[in-house]
Amino acid sequence: MPGYVIHLAIAEKYLEKNKNEKYNDFIDGVIYPDEINDKYKTHYWNEMRSVNLYNFLKENKIDTSFNRGYFLHLLTDYLFYNKYIEYWSTDIYTDYDILNPYLLKKYDVKLPARIKKYVHVAEQGKSLKIQSKEVVDKFIKDLSNLDLEYIKEEITKYPEEWTKVRPLKEP
């Protein structure tokens, strides 16, 4: 899963374009799935620990700012692993720590007090191993421009296309 700061950077950019959202409710929805201990439940994980967006939509409407934020979080997780990164290893968590200062500043991310203890910063001089700033910036741009209602309709019409999982390789 992308780290809190990536999720919040996407949310900040999304909210710039969608002024009708209730800011605090949307942000609460974005961080909710990672705040809860039972990630299988909050992420609608299948047996491969991949988000099942169709199952989320069967149980939830995206009719509130909170639910749209929650949906954007799950969509972010799904697309990150199925479209944007090629490899996975535990190094990705160090990459998040390296990227956090850059993302916090560039996207003017406001960290809710209750999650600050989970956002870490790596020692200076460490190199990214799994991701690049360019890929993460493109990811943030692409996800913040999504039409959530359109994506919901696509998932509902073509659930088999949105439940496929692309296995990631080790680097």
Side-chain angles (χ1 to χ4, degrees):
M1 298 177 286
Y4 276 116
V5 177
I6 292 173
H7 280 292
L8 290 168
I10 291 167
E12 291 290 348
K13 296 304 286 178
Y14 179 88
L15 288 165
E16 283 177 12
K17 300 169 188 116
N18 295 276
K19 304 280 187 200
N20 58 326
E21 297 291 356
K22 294 179 182 171
Y23 181 89
N24 290 330
D25 292 350
F26 192 86
I27 295 297
D28 285 346
V30 166
I31 62 176
Y32 169 76
D34 286 344
E35 283 186 301
I36 306 302
N37 286 335
D38 187 354
K39 304 278 189 282
Y40 278 91
K41 182 178 179 186
T42 61
H43 286 77
Y44 292 81
W45 278 342
N46 62 23
E47 63 282 350
M48 293 182 68
R49 284 188 58 176
S50 177
V51 173
N52 188 314
L53 297 164
Y54 182 70
N55 284 347
F56 171 81
L57 291 171
K58 285 192 316 189
E59 292 184 19
N60 300 278
K61 294 180 180 179
I62 57 169
D63 58 349
T64 65
S65 290
F66 179 89
N67 282 350
R68 282 187 291 277
Y70 188 173
F71 182 57
L72 182 61
H73 177 108
L74 297 181
L75 189 57
T76 297
D77 285 356
Y78 179 82
L79 292 173
F80 188 71
Y81 285 108
N82 287 288
K83 303 287 183 199
Y84 284 85
I85 64 169
E86 292 294 319
Y87 302 102
W88 188 91
S89 84
T90 55
D91 288 330
I92 203 161
Y93 300 110
T94 302
D95 280 6
Y96 297 152
D97 296 348
I98 294 167
L99 285 166
N100 282 343
Y102 166 77
L103 297 172
L104 287 164
K105 184 175 180 180
K106 179 171 182 172
Y107 296 99
D108 193 26
V109 173
K110 296 156 197 70
L111 287 176
R114 67 187 186 269
I115 66 165
K116 284 183 180 180
K117 64 184 173 190
Y118 302 113
V119 175
H120 306 285
V121 175
E123 300 169 22
Q124 285 190 335
K126 288 200 171 199
S127 299
L128 295 169
K129 297 196 178 189
I130 304 294
Q131 335 173 60
S132 68
K133 286 182 182 177
E134 294 76 23
V135 168
V136 173
D137 283 334
K138 178 177 179 0
F139 182 65
I140 291 167
K141 179 183 176 196
D142 291 350
L143 271 283
S144 66
N145 283 316
L146 290 178
D147 178 339
L148 297 181
E149 191 63 35
Y150 173 78
I151 299 292
K152 178 193 89 165
E153 296 301 323
E154 288 295 300
I155 293 167
T156 304
K157 277 195 252 183
Y158 309 106
E160 64 285 348
E161 292 300 314
W162 289 89
T163 53
K164 289 180 181 173
V165 179
R166 176 185 62 128
L168 292 174
K169 303 171 247 175
E170 292 281 335

